[in-house]
Amino acid sequence: MEITHIGGPTAVLNLGGLKFLIDPAFDEPRDYQLPGRVMSKLIGPAIPAAELGPIDVALVSHDEHKDNLDDAGRALLPTIPTVLSTPGAATRIPGVRGLENWESIDLPRPDGGVVTVTGVPALHGPEGAEKVLGVVTGFVLQGDGLPTVYVAGDNASLGLVKEIADRFAPIDVAILFAGAARTALLDGANLTLTSAQAVEAARLLGTATIVPVHTEGWAHFTEGPDEFVAAFRAAGLIERVKVLEHGVATTVD
């Protein structure tokens, strides 16, 4: 399996002969004026969307926030044969297939067999956050002879991590959205995992290799890659972390 981190939560994942694009955000740095607040993108994509080549599947954790699906990312979706997201996103964006929690879809592999993608629950902040920030999904990818991959999406609930870990054990690779994202809409509550919570998530996930994303590039991320690495080092788990260099395809197992 190979992962290329584009920046923020955006990454390309090659698995089973299929190329997956996670949370497409390809705008250059800019401010987005939203109702009651401004979102600021600080870093552009390591690889422009035009240079990615053909994408087979987009995994969009949610469509309502610019850091997970921005203008350039949204424009890219019609070129991607399969776009998976929340049921709500399927009502807002033509061509999107919405997955309910625990619903699966089998995607044919070029060499035979399938990659099974299952939508898994995520909570974008504290209990009740979905009433303000909308519904989010994560994904689990499985296939014969392939590592089992958990893409957490913007999830801040360790309880949900445990439920997913128990159901799909063993998970081989966990792509965790961290960064302790915050917004004034929820009085500064964390909307994604803090670095300390990511350590606890790693413990719940057994021996999974931990790949951090969503820790840099936006002003509302309050903890960066250094804090993430420091937390794992302090916990004695740094050997399980795979920090990706932006734009560099990296084998993860």
Side-chain angles (χ1 to χ4, degrees), residues 76-250:
L76 186 64
L77 294 185
T79 71
I80 300 174
T82 302
V83 180
L84 305 177
S85 190
T86 64
T91 69
R92 292 183 287 266
I93 304 176
V96 170
R97 163 73 182 269
L99 293 178
E100 300 283 355
N101 289 338
W102 315 119
E103 181 183 1
S104 298
I105 181 173
D106 288 338
L107 305 176
R109 295 165 57 176
D111 58 352
V114 299
V115 175
T116 299
V117 180
T118 303
V120 295
L123 180 59
H124 199 0
E127 291 293 333
E130 64 273 9
K131 297 175 183 176
V132 178
L133 299 176
V135 173
V136 179
T137 190
F139 304 92
V140 171
L141 284 59
Q142 299 170 289
D144 290 343
L146 300 176
T148 295
V149 181
Y150 168 42
V151 180
D154 275 358
N155 174 58
S157 169
L158 289 173
L160 291 179
V161 172
K162 184 179 189 310
E163 189 174 353
I164 293 160
D166 290 346
R167 185 177 289 233
F168 292 97
I171 291 174
D172 299 296
V173 178
I175 301 173
L176 296 184
F177 290 37
R182 295 177 186 167
T183 175
L185 294 179
L186 289 176
D187 297 324
N190 292 317
L191 311 183
T192 53
L193 296 174
T194 66
S195 299
Q197 288 174 323
V199 168
E200 295 307 311
R203 292 189 171 114
L204 294 171
L205 289 161
T207 60
T209 297
I210 305 299
V211 178
V213 298
H214 199 283
T215 62
E216 36 51 53
W218 293 79
H220 60 289
F221 299 173
T222 65
E223 295 183 5
D226 290 346
E227 287 88 348
F228 192 98
V229 168
F232 274 80
R233 183 171 287 113
L237 297 176
I238 191 61
E239 74 282 353
R240 288 181 52 195
V241 176
K242 191 81 165 182
V243 177
L244 304 180
E245 182 180 351
H246 286 188
V248 178
T250 304

